[in-house]
Amino acid sequence: MLERSWKSVGKTDIGTIRKVNEDGYLDCSQDGMWCVADGMGGHAKGDVASKMIVDSLRDIADSNSYPLATQQIMQVLQDVNTRLVSMASEKQAVIGSTVVVLAFDHQFAHCIWAGDSRIYRVRNNKLTRLTQDHSQVEELVQKGLLTPEEAERHPNANVITRAVGASDELDLDIVSDVRLDGDKYFLCSDGLNKVIDDAEIEQLLLTTPLESIAPLLIKTSLERNARDNVTVIVVDNQQSLEIVDGNENIHSNFSNLDDTLPLSR
């Protein structure tokens, strides 16, 4: 029997400008699932959209056991998308949110997302981004028309091309990463990476105790006058144990205001 031994910490903050925290996060460590949702600023009820995502994912975690199926997670997000589109049509406004979900099974870490919230992994002292932003500037970077540095300063840096609730059809991406003992996974809303770059994130993840990482990142973002809501989750995939006939054996798993806007099509 596999004894799950990962640990996680999460934290969110309203930032220095906004009056409402439209970010939401879910830390279901016991079920191997974590989520960050960033409600679209400047639109009606972005906080409602992110809360609906978080609450709906919590419901399946409460009613199912580890490991949660990726198809079930994706179906929940599709159902939320349908509900948000229906709400928006009544109000004649967009009600949406980005989402990133990290889900563990016995061998893999699955990343599911829409929008520009991110998931990173630290392995062998190196930070790697596992998600690719669904944003207008990221498309230009991929085409070679912008450098990543130019994209950060681009006037359309806040325009995303996918989000839950932004269109009738929700297009989710998923990547699966073999999960190894000692890996750290890091989820964040774009309010964090707008003020702290990847090199700084890497250094903090490598040198800071797990329980201090999220508070320190939030504190640093506030000191830099974060204009958006900021949310972070850190998951430490520690060495797991396999219990066989009462004996514990080491088991390796090879296993301006920064409003986010949907792109008008």
Side-chain angles (χ1 to χ4, degrees):
M1 180 179 69
L2 180 67
E3 180 179 312
R4 300 185 291 280
S5 59
W6 52 77
K7 293 183 179 180
S8 58
V9 292
K11 190 172 178 62
T12 187
D13 194 275
I14 197 170
T16 61
I17 298 294
R18 293 192 181 279
K19 297 185 187 320
V20 175
N21 191 345
E22 295 182 313
D23 282 3
Y25 78 94
L26 180 65
D27 183 351
C28 286
S29 185
Q30 71 279 5
D31 298 298
M33 180 173 68
W34 302 264
C35 166
V36 169
D38 179 359
M40 291 192 294
H43 293 277
K45 299 187 180 300
D47 56 326
V48 171
S50 60
K51 185 177 187 299
M52 189 181 294
I53 290 170
V54 168
D55 289 348
S56 298
L57 290 172
R58 182 183 291 111
D59 286 345
I60 64 166
D62 289 344
S63 57
N64 295 273
S65 58
Y66 168 86
L68 300 171
T70 56
Q71 286 301 319
Q72 186 179 25
I73 294 169
M74 294 171 78
Q75 185 58 56
V76 166
L77 296 176
Q78 294 287 353
D79 292 344
V80 172
N81 185 76
T82 300
R83 292 163 61 192
L84 289 174
V85 169
S86 177
M87 287 174 58
S89 65
E90 296 174 3
K91 298 179 178 295
Q92 297 184 334
V94 176
I95 306 174
S97 174
T98 72
V99 65
V100 285
V101 179
L102 176 68
F104 284 179
D105 62 21
H106 297 298
Q107 184 178 11
F108 292 97
H110 304 283
C111 306
I112 302 165
W113 79 100
D116 60 354
S117 294
R118 295 177 176 180
I119 301 178
Y120 296 83
R121 183 200 66 213
V122 174
R123 175 179 293 167
N124 298 328
N125 297 324
K126 180 176 175 54
L127 183 75
T128 301
R129 178 149 57 103
L130 299 180
T131 58
Q132 179 177 304
D133 294 351
H134 297 140
S135 66
Q136 191 175 58
V137 294
E138 182 65 24
E139 290 182 356
L140 296 174
V141 170
Q142 294 301 314
K143 293 175 182 177
L145 300 176
L146 285 178
T147 66
E149 294 73 24
E150 290 171 336
E152 294 292 334
R153 302 186 298 272
H154 197 278
N156 290 336
N158 60 334
V159 178
I160 59 174
T161 56
R162 299 190 209 175
V164 183
S167 60
D168 291 343
E169 298 296 326
L170 173 61
D171 188 8
L172 294 164
D173 273 352
I174 179 170
V175 296
S176 299
D177 181 58
V178 174
R179 186 161 54 84
L180 301 181
D181 289 335
D183 287 344
K184 280 192 180 75
Y185 292 88
F186 176 68
L187 297 77
C188 68
S189 60
D190 70 328
L192 187 281
N193 55 264
K194 284 176 179 175
V195 294
I196 302 178
D197 64 27
D198 287 5
E200 292 177 284
I201 293 171
E202 179 183 79
Q203 185 65 18
L204 284 170
L205 289 171
L206 290 173
T207 60
T208 308
L210 176 66
E211 64 276 6
S212 301
I213 294 172
L216 181 57
L217 284 168
I218 295 290
K219 178 176 179 290
T220 302
S221 66
L222 294 177
E223 289 172 348
R224 297 181 184 181
N225 299 315
R227 299 176 63 82
D228 202 353
N229 310 142
V230 182
T231 303
V232 299
I233 301 175
V234 186
V235 184
D236 187 357
N237 186 54
Q238 301 174 329
Q239 194 171 59
S240 57
L241 298 175
E242 189 170 12
I243 303 174
V244 182
D245 296 329
N247 295 316
E248 294 185 353
N249 299 304
I250 293 177
H251 173 86
S252 295
N253 289 304
F254 292 104
S255 38
N256 0 336
L257 215 66
D258 294 317
D259 287 336
T260 300
L261 309 172
L263 176 64
S264 299
R265 294 290 190 184

